[in-house]
Amino acid sequence: MLKNLIIEKIVDRLKNNLINERKSDEISLKLSRLVIMYFKKDEDFTMEGIQFDRGDEYANFDMRCLFIKDNNFNHPFSIDAGSDMQSLDIEITYRPKDFPKHMNDLVAEVKETIEHELEHIEQQNFEDMSIIYNYDREDGEDNFKYLTSNQEIPAYVRGLIKRAKTKKISLSDAMEEWFKENQMKFDNPDKEWPIVKKMWMGHANDMRSKEKIKKFK
């Protein structure tokens, strides 16, 4: 009873402290901690009315997280996520016997995922981040076009910078790690991945030179 009360107070504090500026690093950190806290409890959760402002603009969204135990899953865990202007949905499927052994990897990927989806939420809510959406994944399964689209390049870069910082590795190594996890999604990985990585690194270096993202290795 006392434990549940303490957790409720933590959740309330996290929600009340979600900042009102474009300091989404702090929002990302708070939401990531919340996901891991509920993962350890094995409880799905929803948080409504998450808001942060940027001048005269603001983003207001709900977050839902679902945990699925699967003793026969072929990996320690997998994260599926999606977002739109007003919502962020995360689904984590995991094999219980692999935890807590793989907790550090899960934490890194949760942080990466939330950073990625926050980028999309900001793209759709803030005028200075709005972009022309040149590819709709629902129209087909062309992975190469998807990964090199206007909306996905900054989202993947942002997420992978977070992975790199969390794991204390270089951004290049974080990208290679991501590729090893996802190379089966490429039609021609040997040809397509070097192009994708070059575009992602180009965007990262461009944003760093403009001081729009934090430094990375």
Side-chain angles (χ1 to χ4, degrees):
M1 186 71 177
L2 179 59
K3 181 179 179 181
N4 289 337
L5 182 61
I6 292 172
I7 289 174
E8 288 176 6
K9 288 182 177 179
I10 291 172
V11 172
D12 288 341
R13 187 170 70 249
L14 286 172
K15 185 171 182 178
N16 292 333
N17 287 342
L18 287 174
I19 57 178
N20 296 322
E21 299 176 5
R22 201 268 184 203
K23 291 184 179 178
S24 50
D25 282 348
E26 188 169 343
I27 291 176
S28 175
L29 177 61
K30 293 177 186 295
L31 294 181
S32 299
R33 287 175 175 173
L34 197 61
V35 171
I36 296 303
M37 182 176 71
Y38 273 94
F39 174 81
K40 291 177 179 179
K41 291 177 61 183
D42 189 27
E43 286 186 19
D44 303 336
F45 76 93
T46 298
M47 176 182 281
E48 299 179 346
I50 302 168
Q51 178 174 319
F52 58 103
D53 303 325
R54 295 180 62 201
D56 296 331
E57 298 178 294
Y58 68 91
N60 192 307
F61 63 96
D62 299 336
M63 177 177 176
R64 292 175 288 272
C65 193
L66 179 66
F67 305 107
I68 302 173
K69 287 182 180 179
D70 187 345
N71 292 321
N72 299 313
F73 199 53
N74 57 356
H75 294 287
F77 67 89
S78 177
I79 302 178
D80 290 320
S83 59
D84 56 31
M85 197 170 187
Q86 297 178 322
S87 65
L88 194 171
D89 296 297
I90 298 176
E91 182 179 289
I92 300 177
T93 303
Y94 68 101
R95 197 164 52 193
K97 70 178 183 179
D98 292 301
F99 289 87
K101 179 180 178 181
H102 287 274
M103 184 60 72
N104 288 341
D105 291 331
L106 177 66
V107 169
E109 193 161 334
V110 165
K111 289 183 177 181
E112 173 188 344
T113 299
I114 289 177
E115 284 285 331
H116 182 117
E117 299 304 334
L118 282 177
E119 174 71 25
H120 288 320
I121 290 171
E122 292 180 63
Q123 287 171 357
Q124 296 178 73
N125 281 283
F126 299 134
E127 186 175 351
D128 68 313
M129 292 184 68
S130 64
I131 54 179
I132 298 173
Y133 275 51
N134 64 5
Y135 183 73
D136 188 345
R137 191 65 180 273
E138 294 181 358
D139 291 339
E141 290 299 320
D142 190 324
N143 195 54
F144 178 76
K145 286 183 179 179
Y146 170 73
L147 295 173
T148 57
S149 62
N150 291 341
Q151 68 271 29
E152 293 302 331
I153 290 175
Y156 274 100
V157 167
R158 178 168 167 174
L160 286 166
I161 287 174
K162 178 62 73 172
R163 179 194 287 222
K165 289 182 177 297
T166 302
K167 291 192 166 185
K168 295 180 172 60
I169 59 178
S170 70
L171 178 57
S172 178
D173 286 346
M175 288 184 181
E176 290 298 334
E177 189 176 85
W178 178 91
F179 172 63
K180 289 178 182 179
E181 297 165 359
N182 294 276
Q183 59 183 318
M184 297 301 294
K185 297 178 181 178
F186 288 81
D187 292 331
N188 188 340
D190 291 339
K191 178 181 178 181
E192 294 175 347
W193 171 240
I195 298 172
V196 171
K197 183 179 180 181
K198 183 177 180 180
M199 294 178 73
W200 288 3
M201 287 297 299
H203 176 78
N205 287 322
D206 184 48
M207 291 298 99
R208 180 169 60 179
S209 68
K210 296 176 180 177
E211 298 184 345
K212 291 189 175 182
I213 57 177
K214 291 184 177 181
K215 293 180 180 180
F216 55 85
K217 292 195 296 180

